[in-house]
Amino acid sequence: MTARILVVDDIPANVKLLEARLTAEYFEVVTAGNGIDALEICETDKIDVVLLDIMMPGMDGFEVCRRLKSSKATAHIPVVIVTALDQVSDRIRGLECGADDFLTKPVNDMQLVARVRSLVRLKMLTDELRLRAVTTRGIGLEDLMRGASAHGKDSQPRILLIDERPSSYERICKMLKGIAVVDVVTEPQAGFLQAAENPYECVVISTGFSDYDPLRISSHLRSLDRTRYLPIILIAEQGEDERIMRGLDIGINDYLTRPVDQQELAARLNTQIKRKLYNDALRENVTNTIEMAVTDGLTGLHNRRYLDNHLKKLFERAKSRKSPLSIVMTDLDHFKSINDTHGHDGGDEVLRQFADRMRKKIRGIDLICRFGGEEFVIIMPDTHADIAAKVAERMRLENDTAPFLINDGETSLKVTASAGVAGMDFSNDTVESLMKRADLALYEAKSGGRNRVVTKVGDREPEARSA
């Protein structure tokens, strides 16, 4: 996972220490010695996480954080306040300014890296949603953030607390009275099922189970589509640093250690709910906007119009970050004979099933489009061509071995597909040349006997995989 981290501190020794720790984990580090420079860098550069000191001359870190979170251009950037201040009141003030976390100096290396990695994953998700929203049409990002910030004025969020100890969950419920509607479940598996079946804004999980690892709940929630983006806050005991680190790697969003402060719990809960509402609004906006204009009515996939616009943005982002980008262009073999034999209704059913199979083989950040007729294109960000080729090969193998069922399952058809894979060449590549290579690779797969995958990267000779 690569990312650009901005370290803001007026003491050079502190900057160098954080820079060394983060560089050792292969993050790219940008530095600023004061708040004004930090704001300018965030507005003009691509920053994934900000590590922000509080005690700085001129403009302190609280004000920098407030300004970052109040601007629609930078509000989505996670901010971690890193300071020698260790009072609960300082943490609460930072969280109320919009900070995503608060780390006290001297910072534990494992804690720092785990928190940064967790926030980078969150930022990547938000970036992808923002990018797709901008692709479809200009949206009111400022309005979305305002709506998220206003949440709770007219209604209380509903959260799920999974905790088996009465003394613990009764105290937390008392803390959140008037702030949130809290449902309590004492059995872990029942808690997981309730989270999956109900619309919660956040799940709070206690670590104090007598014979169950609470991180299993987090892992299960992250494995389901319906709860993959549901915020999770872990309440841990003092000394459970290793469990907290594992939790952040698994995908928990935040944590507190006992004894829990009421104001800090409320502030952290509010931060997670605001971010969830913002991302939910982005998803809803994208869904509603593209449904008619850029969606293929037969398969439900994005269409070529969307592909043409979005690929340019993905290409420029990959180029600026020097991250890999691959394209898979795939086409059903002998599709005309299916239409001729079984009619267009049979052909349409095959196309729908083919689209469904591809959906199940790609990640959430990948983009799959119907290019036209029986031809489809998959864009895979942060993916080298050899990995994309393996994904394409798995798709090809499934089509080769699993028949398509049409006419309400009464007719079974064997339908194969060919694929061409192209990887981005940073030397002199363009969107057009990348697409042309994928198209050429697909042509070679077709002319080479069909039911195969051919890969091309730059000017290298194609590599073929077949049955």
Side-chain angles (χ1 to χ4, degrees):
M1 180 189 302
T2 58
R4 304 193 78 207
I5 314 300
L6 173 62
V7 176
V8 188
D9 198 314
D10 63 319
I11 300 177
N14 292 341
V15 173
K16 289 186 178 298
L17 182 61
L18 286 174
E19 185 176 13
R21 291 173 176 174
L22 294 167
T23 302
E25 298 295 327
Y26 305 101
F27 291 112
E28 182 180 350
V29 179
V30 181
T31 64
N34 58 72
I36 298 296
D37 289 347
L39 292 172
E40 182 178 351
I41 291 171
C42 288
E43 290 177 355
T44 60
D45 210 341
K46 297 181 183 299
I47 299 298
D48 293 301
V49 175
V50 178
L51 300 182
L52 179 62
D53 186 36
I54 293 298
M55 307 301 292
M56 295 185 295
M59 183 187 302
D60 67 19
F62 292 127
E63 178 62 16
V64 175
C65 183
R66 188 192 65 78
R67 293 195 186 189
L68 286 172
K69 293 300 181 177
S70 63
S71 169
K72 65 179 181 181
T74 58
H76 62 289
I77 302 176
V79 176
V80 179
I81 291 178
V82 184
T83 178
L85 300 177
D86 59 357
Q87 298 299 308
V88 172
S89 58
D90 296 319
R91 290 202 300 272
I92 294 169
R93 184 182 175 189
L95 293 167
E96 289 177 345
C97 288
D100 295 84
D101 204 355
F102 195 105
L103 299 179
T104 303
K105 299 177 182 176
V107 178
N108 177 281
D109 285 1
M110 289 181 59
Q111 188 179 32
L112 171 69
V113 172
R115 171 48 80 189
V116 169
R117 284 176 177 165
S118 175
L119 291 173
V120 166
R121 285 194 295 268
L122 181 62
K123 172 68 162 42
M124 289 174 66
L125 169 64
T126 303
D127 283 351
E128 185 63 28
L129 290 171
R130 285 168 56 86
L131 188 61
R132 294 192 180 191
V134 171
T135 298
T136 55
R137 67 179 174 89
I139 66 170
L141 294 177
E142 189 173 16
D143 293 337
L144 293 180
M145 289 302 295
R146 189 181 298 115
S149 298
H151 179 81
K153 293 181 179 179
D154 300 320
S155 63
Q156 292 182 4
R158 186 182 178 192
I159 71 168
L160 176 65
L161 172 60
I162 306 176
D163 190 342
E164 73 174 10
R165 295 184 297 177
S167 60
S168 173
Y169 64 69
E170 288 172 1
R171 183 168 184 267
I172 293 173
C173 287
K174 185 177 180 180
M175 287 181 178
L176 295 178
K177 186 176 181 180
I179 298 173
V181 177
V182 183
D183 293 339
V184 178
V185 177
T186 59
E187 200 280 317
Q189 189 61 28
F192 163 68
L193 294 175
Q194 185 154 328
E197 295 171 359
N198 294 275
Y200 290 106
E201 270 76 50
C202 186
V203 175
V204 179
I205 304 173
S206 172
T207 64
F209 290 97
S210 57
D211 58 353
Y212 189 86
D213 183 353
L215 296 186
R216 292 189 180 278
I217 308 174
S218 304
S219 177
H220 293 332
L221 290 173
R222 288 293 174 256
S223 68
L224 285 183
D225 286 340
R226 72 189 76 171
T227 57
R228 185 160 294 156
Y229 308 117
L230 179 63
I232 301 172
I233 296 178
L234 194 70
I235 296 183
E237 303 291 340
Q238 293 285 344
E240 289 192 298
D241 292 351
E242 185 176 347
R243 173 171 278 169
I244 292 170
M245 300 306 106
R246 292 205 318 269
L248 289 169
D249 283 338
I250 288 172
I252 67 167
N253 300 81
D254 205 350
Y255 66 91
L256 293 97
T257 54
R258 300 182 193 274
V260 176
D261 179 85
Q262 181 179 14
Q263 287 184 284
E264 184 175 1
L265 172 61
R268 290 186 183 275
L269 187 63
N270 185 53
T271 296
Q272 294 305 320
I273 291 172
K274 283 197 299 184
R275 186 173 288 277
K276 177 182 183 294
L277 289 172
Y278 177 54
N279 284 340
D280 285 351
L282 281 173
R283 289 189 195 93
E284 183 178 1
N285 184 283
V286 171
T287 301
N288 293 339
T289 304
I290 70 176
E291 185 173 357
M292 296 300 295
V294 291
T295 301
D296 174 56
L298 177 65
T299 63
L301 300 175
H302 294 303
N303 60 19
R304 183 168 180 173
R305 179 187 299 172
Y306 186 89
L307 172 69
D308 290 342
N309 287 312
H310 194 60
L311 177 56
K312 294 176 183 177
K313 293 179 173 61
L314 290 174
F315 185 90
E316 291 303 320
R317 186 174 70 176
K319 188 175 181 180
S320 65
R321 294 182 176 181
K322 296 184 179 179
S323 58
L325 176 71
S326 295
I327 290 179
V328 178
M329 189 174 290
T330 184
D331 186 277
L332 291 171
D333 298 327
H334 302 296
F335 184 73
K336 184 177 182 301
S337 65
I338 298 174
N339 280 333
D340 291 343
T341 305
H342 301 280
H344 288 285
D345 288 344
D348 288 350
E349 183 58 31
V350 168
L351 290 172
R352 280 192 289 266
Q353 292 182 35
F354 184 59
D356 289 341
R357 291 182 181 189
M358 286 190 290
R359 279 193 191 96
K360 296 174 182 177
K361 289 291 190 293
I362 64 173
R363 305 165 299 177
I365 64 171
D366 298 330
L367 173 67
I368 178 171
C369 301
R370 186 181 179 191
F371 198 59
E374 67 273 20
E375 193 169 4
F376 298 81
V377 172
I378 304 171
I379 312 300
M380 305 182 73
D382 300 314
T383 306
H384 291 284
D386 57 340
I387 301 300
K390 291 179 181 178
V391 175
E393 174 62 17
R394 286 199 295 269
M395 294 180 182
R396 183 204 67 78
L397 184 61
E398 180 179 357
N399 294 322
D400 190 36
T401 56
F404 289 74
L405 302 178
I406 63 173
N407 299 330
D408 294 325
E410 294 181 1
T411 305
S412 175
L413 298 177
K414 179 175 180 178
V415 183
T416 63
S418 302
V421 180
M424 186 173 177
D425 181 355
F426 289 98
S427 57
N428 55 0
D429 219 350
T430 64
V431 172
E432 292 75 18
S433 61
L434 180 61
M435 285 291 290
K436 185 176 180 180
R437 283 201 307 281
D439 187 51
L440 178 60
L442 175 59
Y443 174 79
E444 293 179 2
K446 289 282 192 182
S447 62
R450 294 183 170 82
N451 192 21
R452 60 178 57 207
V453 177
V454 172
T455 306
K456 287 185 72 69
V457 181
D459 297 325
R460 284 193 287 174
E461 289 299 314
E463 301 174 3
R465 300 169 187 241
S466 61

